[in-house]
């Protein structure tokens, strides 16, 4: 059932309230002036990432921006070749980091051994709070068990994607049991909260909405010589109107819809090019689709880019065709870079307000995507208006500094189990 009550949301509160936005049950503890300052809390950020994406960027930013006068920050991420960039960045952002993989990617025996390693590491570190981050709504059960056995008192979970359809009963029951064992659930948007509540146990009193954020100070204009080098490298004409996306090439991302829309966009805007930044299991299928649509000469695949900002600087329009997405880090980065954006999800509390900070096309509808992209490309004044509004929207409501402050208030609570 969908939740009857709505938890507080960072994006919907005033600037004064946002510093401590939480559910009523999550009101941060306030010390009296006469009390002595307590030792810093030891906070562990845990992820079982299998690929690089927005969730990983979120974890790194959180590790970097948690207040070091209040917290000592620890991190555990997998020993996995596909996420080496995450490992490197977490070692730089956190005070302490380790690579442990307590899941089945290396087989059951290795999973058991890695679980034991995690138990010993948590005991050694004497962790007070563990915040688990998962791309979806599966896994991490062994990590949760090891944390409880190691004496971790506060455990929170952020599942960055929620199910969009009913789950098989055994899977639902297992995940509901998991949800019962954590002290709180953090949802990254109102939409994420509603979707989770439709298909998983999501108790209002232990759920908080904390929208994703980006470090807006890092998103400054890209120097023109850097843009010129990229245009030469990817054979993009000076007059090209560039539509682009930055996303993992996976089935749930809606990229086939974007390619189908681009075929229509080219008919109306003959200078249009498509810049596909990312990689994944659909790479070959997308290249084949571009050839079948007759637009392969105007599509550029860049592969995974650890720093996508220069590529965002090339784009006239950023498109995120994810049909059931919610508060994408890539979207927020594009908006921080003053890109006009078109997405295929939206709603109250989301970064894109239709017609103001971007456009919300219909999901799984290439014609709808094409309609809004063409509108932008054919109207430079509209493009500028949307670009400025996008930046303002992120500055006001979606900074990572604010996210760290809200989550920090959550971590400082005293839990009674």
């Amino acid at each position: 059932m969908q939740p009857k009550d709505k938890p507080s949301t960072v994006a919907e509160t005033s600037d004064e309230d946002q510093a401590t936005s939480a559910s009523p049950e999550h009101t941060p503890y306030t010390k009296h002036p006469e009390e002595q300052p307590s030792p810093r809390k030891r906070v562990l950020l845990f992820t079982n990432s299998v690929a690089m994406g927005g969730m990983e960027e979120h974890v790194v930013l959180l590790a970097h921006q948690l207040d070091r006068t209040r917290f000592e920050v620890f991190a555990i991420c997998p020993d996995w070749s596909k996420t080496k960039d995450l490992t490197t960045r977490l070692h730089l952002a956190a005070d302490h980091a380790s690579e442990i993989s307590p899941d089945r990617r290396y087989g059951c025996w290795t999973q058991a051994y890695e679980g034991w390693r995690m138990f010993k590491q948590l005991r050694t570190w004497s962790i007070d709070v563990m915040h688990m981050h998962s791309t979806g709504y599966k896994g991490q059960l062994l990590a949760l068990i090891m944390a409880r056995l190691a004496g971790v008192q506060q455990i929170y979970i952020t599942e960055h994607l929620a199910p969009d359809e009913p789950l098989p009963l055994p899977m639902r029951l297992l995940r509901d049991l998991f949800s019962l064992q954590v002290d709180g659930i953090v949802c990254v948007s109102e939409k994420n909260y509603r979707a989770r509540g439709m298909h998983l146990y999501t108790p209002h009193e232990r759920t908080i909405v904390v929208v994703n954020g980006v470090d807006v100070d890092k998103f400054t204009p890209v120097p023109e010589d850097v843009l010129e080098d990229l245009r030469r490298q990817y054979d993009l004409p000076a007059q090209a109107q560039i539509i682009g996306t930055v996303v993992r090439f996976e089935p749930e991302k809606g990229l086939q819809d974007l390619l189908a829309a681009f075929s229509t966009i080219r008919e109306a805007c003959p200078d249009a090019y498509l810049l596909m930044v990312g990689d994944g299991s659909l790479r070959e299928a997308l290249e084949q689709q571009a050839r079948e649509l007759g637009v392969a000469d105007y599509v550029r695949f860049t592969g995974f880019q650890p720093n996508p900002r220069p590529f965002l600087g090339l784009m006239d329009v950023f498109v995120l065709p994810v049909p059931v997405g919610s508060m994408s880090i890539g979207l927020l980065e594009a908006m921080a870079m003053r890109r006009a954006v078109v997405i295929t999800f939206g709603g109250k509390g989301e970064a894109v307000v239709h017609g103001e900070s971007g456009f919300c096309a219909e999901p799984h509808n290439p014609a709808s995507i094409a309609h809004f992209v063409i509108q932008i490309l054919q109207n430079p004044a509209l493009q500028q208006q949307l670009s400025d509004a996008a930046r303002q929207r992120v500055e006001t409501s979606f900074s990572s500094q604010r996210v760290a402050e809200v989550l920090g208030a959550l971590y400082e609570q005293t839990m009674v189990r």
Side-chain angles (χ1 to χ4, degrees), residues 259-275:
L259 273 171
F262 181 64
S263 180
T264 302
I265 294 166
R266 277 285 307 177
E267 296 176 4
C269 304
D271 288 329
Y273 281 72
L274 180 60
L275 192 62

Side-chain angles (χ1 to χ4, degrees), residues 5-37:
D5 299 306
K6 182 173 79 67
S8 302
T9 311
V10 176
E12 295 179 353
T13 53
S14 67
D15 287 346
E16 181 179 354
D17 292 336
Q18 282 174 350
T20 56
S21 174
S23 305
E25 297 78 3
H26 286 165
T27 303
Y29 172 72
T30 304
K31 294 186 179 74
H32 295 290
E34 67 272 16
E35 290 184 37
Q36 294 297 318

Side-chain angles (χ1 to χ4, degrees), residues 47 49-61 82-86 89 135 160-161 212-214 246-250 252-253 277-279 304-306 308 327-331 333:
T47 171
S49 302
V50 296
M52 293 300 300
M55 181 190 78
E56 290 70 27
E57 183 67 24
H58 173 88
V59 174
V60 171
L61 285 173
K82 297 177 182 178
T83 55
K84 283 299 181 186
D85 184 58
L86 171 66
R89 295 175 67 193
T135 301
H160 289 251
L161 290 176
N212 282 339
V214 294
V246 181
V247 70
R248 288 185 295 111
F249 294 177
E250 300 300 335
E252 69 273 13
K253 300 301 183 181
V277 183
D279 213 339
F304 169 74
Q305 299 295 328
M327 210 55 64
S328 157
I329 294 292
L331 169 67
E333 290 180 346

Side-chain angles (χ1 to χ4, degrees), residues 33-47:
E34 67 272 16
E35 290 184 37
Q36 294 297 318
S38 61
R40 293 187 299 168
K41 272 204 167 182
R42 294 177 164 235
V43 174
L44 169 69
L45 304 177
F46 172 80
T47 171

Side-chain angles (χ1 to χ4, degrees), residues 4 63 108 131 144 157 235 321 347 394:
K4 295 180 180 179
C108 292
H131 190 164
L144 173 63
I157 178 70
D235 192 22
V394 173

Side-chain angles (χ1 to χ4, degrees), residues 73-77 87 90-92 94-99 121 125:
V73 180
F74 300 76
I76 289 179
C77 60
T87 304
L90 276 178
H91 273 279
L92 294 173
D95 302 312
H96 314 273
S98 182
E99 295 87 59
Q121 187 68 80
W125 282 343

Side-chain angles (χ1 to χ4, degrees), residues 81-340:
S81 60
K82 297 177 182 178
T83 55
K84 283 299 181 186
D85 184 58
L86 171 66
T87 304
T88 300
R89 295 175 67 193
L90 276 178
H91 273 279
L92 294 173
D95 302 312
H96 314 273
S98 182
E99 295 87 59
I100 304 175
S101 312
D103 53 49
R104 290 181 291 178
R105 74 187 70 193
Y106 294 123
C108 292
W109 287 109
T110 301
Q111 180 184 15
Y113 173 69
E114 291 291 284
W116 173 246
R117 284 188 62 217
M118 183 169 183
F119 168 79
K120 292 196 298 181
Q121 187 68 80
L122 296 181
R123 294 278 289 185
T124 300
W125 282 343
S126 299
I127 295 298
D128 299 307
V129 181
M130 180 167 77
H131 190 164
M132 309 171 77
H133 290 264
S134 175
T135 301
Y137 42 89
K138 303 175 184 177
Q140 299 199 340
L141 181 58
L142 180 60
L144 173 63
I145 294 171
M146 292 300 104
R148 287 298 186 206
L149 291 175
V152 179
Q153 293 299 305
Q154 292 173 247
I155 300 178
Y156 302 101
I157 178 70
T158 299
E159 296 162 345
H160 289 251
L161 290 176
D164 58 353
E165 59 185 23
L167 302 177
L169 184 59
M171 182 185 297
R172 162 104 193 221
L173 291 175
L174 182 62
R175 203 60 187 178
D176 285 352
L177 178 62
F178 181 98
S179 298
L180 279 166
Q181 299 308 310
V182 298
D183 297 288
I185 298 167
V186 180
C187 295
V188 298
S189 73
E190 283 291 336
K191 184 173 183 178
N192 179 267
Y193 168 71
R194 292 192 299 270
R196 194 185 195 282
M198 287 290 292
H199 305 298
L200 290 172
Y201 173 64
T202 307
H204 167 68
E205 69 277 4
R206 292 194 291 112
T207 302
I208 178 174
V209 173
V210 184
V211 296
N212 282 339
V214 294
D215 187 350
V216 292
D217 295 336
K218 293 183 177 180
F219 292 89
T220 55
V222 180
E224 189 58 39
D225 61 328
V226 174
L227 297 179
E228 287 298 329
D229 286 344
L230 286 176
R231 289 191 185 98
R232 282 193 295 270
Q233 181 179 350
Y234 292 99
D235 192 22
L236 294 165
Q239 76 278 9
Q241 293 181 298
I242 301 175
I243 304 112
T245 193
V246 181
V247 70
R248 288 185 295 111
F249 294 177
E250 300 300 335
E252 69 273 13
K253 300 301 183 181
L255 293 170
Q256 298 95 330
D257 298 328
L258 175 57
L259 273 171
F262 181 64
S263 180
T264 302
I265 294 166
R266 277 285 307 177
E267 296 176 4
C269 304
D271 288 329
Y273 281 72
L274 180 60
L275 192 62
M276 303 280 283
V277 183
D279 213 339
S281 64
L282 285 187
R283 171 71 178 264
E284 291 185 8
L286 293 170
E287 291 176 339
Q288 177 62 29
Q289 183 184 1
R291 289 190 291 269
E292 291 172 355
L293 291 170
V295 296
D297 290 344
Y298 310 102
V299 180
R300 303 290 185 265
F301 291 89
T302 73
F304 169 74
Q305 299 295 328
N307 178 18
R309 293 167 199 163
F311 295 87
L312 290 171
L314 284 173
M315 298 174 191
D316 295 289
V317 184
F318 176 89
V319 181
L320 190 64
V322 182
V324 292
S326 182
M327 210 55 64
S328 157
I329 294 292
L331 169 67
L332 296 179
E333 290 180 346
M335 296 175 72
M337 286 291 293
R338 297 183 185 272
R339 300 302 95 184

